[in-house]
Amino acid sequence: MTDDRTAQTLRSIAPYLADWASFQAAYHGMPGLQLAVGRRGEVFVDLAWGTANLETGEALTSDHLFRVASHSKTFTTVLVMQLVERGELRLDDAVGALVPELDGSTAAEITVRELLGHQAGIIRDSSDGDFWQYERPFLDREQVLECVRTEGVVFEPNEHFKYTNIGYSLLGIIIERVTGKTYDEVARAAVVEPLGLTRTGTELDPARADEYAAGHTGRISHDDARRVIPHVDTRAMAAATGWYSTALEMVRYGATHVLGDTTLLTDKSKRLIQREESTVSVRGHELGRYGVGIELGKVGDRQLVGHSGGYPGHITRTWIDPVDGLVVSALTNAVDGIATQIANGVIQIINLALAAADEVAAAATAGNPADAPVGRFANLWGVFDVADLGGILHTINPRHPQPAEVAQRLAVSDGRLALESVAGFGAVGEPVQVERDGKGAVVAARFGAMTAWPVEEYRARVLGR
């Protein structure tokens, strides 16, 4: 697909991407959602939906700051790789040689690369990680080093993938030792300022307290009330989990991980960190994949890199296609946030639309009648959307977390609109009958056997009884 057609398709489906994501957030009871979608310098979606703080009722905006938590690891990886590129650090340097306090400890021979790839065997959060629920402060520098010295090594290096916040906190200390500057100073000079980011930083900024979206508790039962969770300083663990940003600025940052963009790193460095280092499997079930400081994923046939983040009250996800240039970032402000589900679903819809656009272009014809019944419909059995994705009409259940699994196409058959003639359990191959009022507006539609109505009409007709 040409870049022009890709951009045109993304522009055409952008309103539906925002609508689908908003529906998902509302249906799952999220307080708020930021979503941004960009590609090669163009932003297609910059959505702020819902509430920044349920206690005050403050509306969420695109400018509200979110704690992006473990996205911090990708920033730390960039800082490390910049030092490697300048010859100030090597990936096979041993921790004991870089941090004298650890010389002679069981962690001394662990390498920088093993820390970046979570192959160092280091304890995840110390033996008392209750700072994650505010029972104690996050660890300071001496506490991190003491943890590594006394209880840090759980596995032998490269024995197992073992995700570790303590290991990345140690990388922050290494960056400070090598540069002679604070982690924040290095990050500002190396990432924040070169990208012109004004709403991104390494740690809680008390001067900007009013700009943060509040975090909220999760629900154990559906009717549980949510409570606001305050933001705190992550201290020496900022390199692992302290950063804040917005969805829009995460898209801008994510674009620097696309091959060909050398703003922060060379392509050589990016290929190294994006190469699969670990496949994480337990009893034959794959849990995920990881590179050298960045998470790897796949949605459809699209190979992705990026990271998720979990901070008390904020759950976040950013995916980057390093070849195509697509970047999607979803930020939610609740502990049970569905950021990954939303980001994955948005990418699935994009994949559907681009595939359809290719087919329409190859056929040199449009796939939809001019009076197609586009919109959201409902009946007793649920809700579904009719959306024009890439020039072909699709029906999608917006409640379903994976739109690609439930999408059906509509096609013109013998001059009439019908559900696509394929195998299926639904009303496949059957005609679509549309009822319109005197002004041409759709007032009802029968997709196969059952009538459905525009959502507001259904609410008035059935739920309002």
Side-chain angles (χ1 to χ4, degrees):
M1 173 173 282
T2 65
D3 277 352
D4 284 348
R5 189 156 75 243
T6 297
Q8 290 170 5
T9 302
L10 288 171
R11 291 183 200 116
S12 72
I13 66 171
Y16 182 66
L17 295 177
D19 186 54
W20 180 88
S22 299
F23 185 96
Q24 282 276 308
Y27 184 71
H28 290 279
M30 296 296 97
L33 165 71
Q34 277 186 5
L35 172 71
V37 178
R39 181 181 180 272
R40 300 196 179 279
E42 183 173 356
V43 175
F44 302 96
V45 177
D46 181 16
L47 168 72
W49 172 91
T51 306
N53 186 316
L54 289 177
E55 292 184 359
T56 66
E58 179 184 2
L60 185 71
T61 72
S62 295
D63 287 336
H64 274 101
L65 309 178
F66 280 71
R67 306 300 290 276
V68 294
S70 286
H71 284 82
S72 305
K73 295 177 176 68
T74 70
F75 289 103
T76 297
T77 297
V78 168
L79 301 184
V80 168
M81 293 307 299
Q82 287 179 343
L83 294 175
V84 171
E85 289 181 358
R86 295 199 298 267
E88 299 175 35
L89 185 64
R90 297 182 306 165
L91 290 177
D92 60 357
D93 280 344
V95 166
L98 296 168
V99 184
E101 295 96 323
L102 298 178
D103 188 25
S105 72
T106 55
E109 298 305 313
I110 288 170
T111 67
V112 171
R113 181 182 182 125
E114 289 163 348
L115 288 173
L116 287 171
H118 299 285
Q119 285 285 352
I122 293 288
I123 196 168
R124 193 184 199 278
D125 288 301
S126 82
S127 58
D128 183 0
D130 275 342
F131 41 79
W132 283 114
Q133 50 187 347
Y134 297 170
E135 296 295 323
R136 59 176 298 205
F138 277 77
L139 306 186
D140 63 20
R141 183 182 185 279
E142 292 310 313
Q143 288 171 322
V144 169
L145 293 176
E146 180 64 15
C147 173
V148 175
R149 279 193 298 265
T150 61
E151 60 182 13
V153 179
V154 177
F155 296 135
E156 290 295 317
N158 302 302
E159 182 181 358
H160 293 293
F161 176 92
K162 180 171 175 54
Y163 191 83
T164 170
N165 289 309
I166 296 297
Y168 265 79
S169 303
L170 182 54
L171 283 169
I173 292 172
I174 289 171
I175 289 168
E176 292 184 336
R177 177 73 69 173
V178 171
T179 63
K181 300 176 182 177
T182 68
Y183 178 82
D184 181 72
E185 289 171 339
V186 175
R188 288 185 179 279
V191 175
V192 176
E193 292 169 2
L195 296 183
L197 304 178
T198 62
R199 311 197 70 75
T200 301
T202 63
E203 188 51 88
L204 180 68
D205 184 350
R208 307 183 74 168
D210 293 341
E211 300 177 55
Y212 289 87
H216 296 87
T217 55
R219 290 171 168 169
I220 297 173
S221 298
H222 180 73
D223 57 353
D224 283 349
R226 297 188 186 275
R227 297 288 181 260
V228 166
I229 306 174
H231 293 282
V232 298
D233 193 318
T234 62
R235 307 213 289 176
M237 300 185 72
T241 194
W243 285 67
Y244 65 86
S245 191
T246 66
L248 186 60
E249 291 206 346
M250 287 304 299
V251 163
R252 191 181 305 172
Y253 162 70
T256 68
H257 288 272
V258 174
L259 296 174
D261 186 316
T262 57
T263 308
L264 298 182
L265 293 176
T266 65
D267 279 358
K268 179 181 178 181
S269 291
K270 279 182 279 191
R271 288 191 179 98
L272 189 152
I273 67 175
Q274 294 173 10
R275 187 169 61 216
E276 184 174 322
E277 186 85 345
S278 303
T279 297
V280 186
S281 298
V282 177
R283 290 179 288 278
H285 175 63
E286 183 176 318
L287 302 178
R289 293 179 290 143
Y290 213 86
V292 184
I294 200 164
E295 192 177 350
L296 312 180
K298 185 178 181 182
V299 176
D301 293 329
R302 193 183 289 271
Q303 298 288 346
L304 303 166
V305 300
H307 224 286
S308 61
Y311 176 89
H314 286 179
I315 301 295
T316 55
R317 162 65 75 184
T318 301
W319 280 129
I320 305 147
D321 184 330
V323 176
D324 175 68
L326 179 71
V327 187
V328 175
S329 186
L331 315 181
T332 59
N333 59 340
V335 170
D336 54 358
I338 56 168
T340 294
Q341 178 174 308
I342 288 175
N344 288 0
V346 164
I347 295 171
Q348 287 187 24
I349 294 169
I350 289 171
N351 290 348
L352 289 171
L354 294 177
D358 275 345
E359 292 182 33
V360 170
T365 181
N368 298 327
D371 61 346
V374 174
R376 180 163 290 148
F377 297 86
N379 61 23
L380 183 64
W381 288 90
V383 59
F384 63 93
D385 296 335
V386 178
D388 182 336
L389 303 180
I392 295 177
L393 290 178
H394 292 68
T395 66
I396 293 177
N397 176 357
R399 296 190 298 196
H400 199 282
Q402 299 191 60
E405 290 189 359
V406 296
Q408 286 187 292
R409 288 183 171 187
L410 301 180
V412 177
S413 176
D414 297 327
R416 300 181 63 189
L417 191 63
L419 290 161
E420 188 177 16
S421 295
V422 294
F425 288 98
V428 292
E430 299 180 25
V432 175
Q433 302 172 51
V434 180
E435 180 184 344
R436 298 178 183 273
D437 63 18
K439 297 180 180 179
V442 176
V443 295
R446 186 185 295 271
F447 293 80
M450 285 190 291
T451 302
W453 298 268
V455 167
E456 292 310 315
E457 170 66 16
Y458 172 74
R459 289 182 184 279
R461 176 185 290 264
V462 177
L463 300 184
R465 284 182 190 166

